[in-house]
Amino acid sequence: MTAESPKDGKRSAQPSPGRPRDTRIDASIIAATRELILETGYSALSLSAIAARAGTTTAAIYRRWSGKAQLVHEAVLSAETISMPDDSGDIRNEIRVLVETIRVIFDRPEVRSALPGLIADTVADPELHNMMIARLAGNLTAFESRFGQERRDDDQLPMLVEVVAGTAIFRILIRRDAALDDTWVNEMTEMITGRWPPA
């Protein structure tokens, strides 16, 4: 058994009782994870390599995160959440803001590198899955109703977020070098808003 394969297969992401966590170690681990993702990819990434790069131990990582998937999720997807655009009355502009936010989330080199393996691990981990859904869902319920779409009772994500995020993810998975640029944002916005007349 290695330090990366705890006997029960799970470790708490909560810090153990005692002295407060050293936020400098947290930052070093996150930075090392982002660096190594770009160097090795997700599949070859190991917690021991992250610990060595960060100048800490795998035990310190496990005190903070339950495993590689949760650590990578926080390291590469933690910066933005999707929030509700302002009620400006310009539906095209509001949806473009949403599309642009999703583009920013997914169009980082470390996200592109991690995404295929991370998605597979996320599907298998209910806690991690809920974290990702919460990040993508944001606070969009009121926004949905503004353009006539209500979320179904069994849906965790608004359909609009499923469409935009799903398109971005599919594009990255199928064509790793495909651009998520201003042209993509504009075309996605026009495709979604084609049902509305110009403001």
Side-chain angles (χ1 to χ4, degrees):
M1 184 181 73
T2 67
E4 294 179 56
S5 302
K7 189 177 296 183
D8 61 2
K10 290 184 178 291
R11 291 193 186 235
S12 172
Q14 301 300 318
S16 57
R19 63 185 180 183
R21 269 173 40 176
D22 186 339
T23 56
R24 293 171 299 179
I25 295 176
D26 294 46
S28 294
I29 293 170
I30 291 293
T33 302
R34 290 173 180 160
E35 292 170 5
L36 286 168
I37 277 285
L38 296 176
E39 294 175 19
T40 70
Y42 181 83
S43 297
L45 183 68
S46 70
L47 295 186
S48 58
I50 294 170
R53 177 70 61 91
T56 187
T57 64
T58 55
I61 294 175
Y62 276 124
R63 283 195 294 271
R64 292 160 168 80
W65 295 276
S66 63
K68 181 173 83 169
Q70 190 179 79
L71 170 55
V72 171
H73 182 275
E74 182 170 336
V76 305
L77 289 173
S78 63
E80 282 83 18
T81 57
I82 299 175
S83 58
M84 185 177 73
D86 295 332
D87 188 1
S88 65
D90 184 344
I91 195 67
R92 279 182 169 78
N93 183 65
E94 291 177 15
I95 290 180
R96 193 183 193 287
V97 169
L98 175 68
V99 175
E100 172 65 18
T101 303
I102 292 176
R103 183 195 73 80
V104 169
I105 289 173
F106 290 105
D107 196 34
R108 293 190 181 94
E110 61 268 28
V111 176
R112 285 176 170 265
S113 180
L115 200 59
L118 186 58
I119 285 177
D121 285 349
T122 297
V123 170
D125 183 334
E127 180 182 356
L128 192 58
H129 180 263
N130 289 335
M131 288 169 59
M132 182 174 283
I133 292 297
R135 175 165 289 115
L136 292 175
N139 182 28
L140 291 170
T141 302
F143 181 57
E144 293 173 87
S145 65
R146 290 213 297 268
F147 60 97
Q149 182 192 39
E150 299 293 340
R151 197 179 315 184
R152 296 177 305 183
D153 290 341
D154 59 343
D155 280 351
Q156 293 177 290
L157 283 178
M159 180 63 72
L160 179 60
V161 176
E162 287 189 358
V163 168
V164 180
T167 301
I169 291 169
F170 183 81
R171 186 172 177 83
I172 291 169
L173 294 181
I174 299 302
R175 294 180 54 206
R176 298 288 295 277
D177 60 343
L180 290 176
D181 52 13
D182 287 345
T183 299
W184 180 85
V185 171
N186 291 335
E187 290 177 352
M188 196 76 204
T189 302
E190 289 305 311
M191 185 178 298
I192 294 168
T193 60
R195 60 185 284 190
W196 289 282

